[in-house]
Amino acid sequence: PPFPLKLRGPVVKGFGRGSKDLGIPTANIPLTGLSIGGHDDLESGIYYGYASLDHSTIPALTTDLSVPSATGDTAIPQRSSNHAVADLETPATAPPSRPITPGRLKEAKIYPTVLSIGYNPYYKNSQRSIEIHILHSFAQDFYGATLSLIILGHIRPEYDYVSKEALVEDIREDIRVAQRSLARPAYEQWQQDEWLFGEG
Ligand code: ADP
Ligand code: MG
């Protein structure tokens, strides 16, 4: 496929295997995100690219209980639909999002990332998923954040594994390949791409 491929969606709960089972957390965005721009034919495999996170879409963790609502049925503002995000289905369990302030994200941090798109044969999934491992150590989870992704290249097809150790070994190598690939000067410009700042 022609790179770059651009995807965006809210970080949702996955299969819960990334961090717990493998020691490598993978953020999931809804599969329907793959149809953005007509990439639903995207080949299964391991890819690398850049990601950004918009934390403003994470629902507030605390509620001010000192000011009870007069009616008890305060309307929760929904994020207004905008381009690609509108196509993504939000799971029924997802808490409501706070509205996005329109305009360019000034504070967006850009992270290198390695991701897999596929059935995860080792886990025998029947549906394709996108599993995004961000090459950064986060102090906290970021479920609900809007993840924007630019996929810049393909590393390898998806393999099945005889052992978890072999799978983890390959992911470690994928991470090294992604880091080496993204270090190429030609890729640097993509860190400034509007898509990663909430536009485009
Ligand atoms: P799940 O099955 O719900 O995706 P994982 O065990 O794969 O659970 O963990 C993924 C979650 O961990 C992400 O949704 C995110 O909130 C958090 N996380 C923390 N650090 C990272 C990271 N470096 N890359 C991806 N996700 C991370
Ligand atoms: Mg995951």
Side-chain angles (χ1 to χ4, degrees), residues 2 13 20 51 58 69 97-98 156 179:
K13 278 271 174 194
K20 290 189 197 76
I58 298 177
S69 129
S97 302
R98 285 194 285 143
R156 62 176 175 86
Q179 283 165 332

Side-chain angles (χ1 to χ4, degrees), residues 122 160-164 166:
Y122 180 73
D160 199 355
Y161 292 94
V162 290
S163 72
K164 204 165 69 186

Side-chain angles (χ1 to χ4, degrees), residues 48 113-114 135 155 173-183:
Y48 60 85
T113 183
V114 59
L135 303 186
I155 297 179
E173 179 61 16
D174 294 333
I175 291 171
R176 288 189 287 270
V177 172
Q179 283 165 332
R180 280 202 300 274
S181 301
L182 290 169

Side-chain angles (χ1 to χ4, degrees), residues 12-19 24-28 131-132 143:
V12 296
K13 278 271 174 194
F15 294 101
R17 297 175 186 133
S19 8
I24 301 164
T26 59
N28 296 83
E131 306 274 344
I132 302 156
Y143 291 107

Side-chain angles (χ1 to χ4, degrees), residues 133-165:
H133 177 61
I134 297 176
L135 303 186
H136 180 81
S137 178
F138 293 92
Q140 278 169 331
D141 287 350
F142 42 83
Y143 291 107
T146 298
L147 193 156
S148 298
L149 186 64
I150 294 188
I151 304 178
L152 294 169
H154 179 257
I155 297 179
R156 62 176 175 86
E158 194 176 39
Y159 301 133
D160 199 355
Y161 292 94
V162 290
S163 72
K164 204 165 69 186
E165 288 68 27

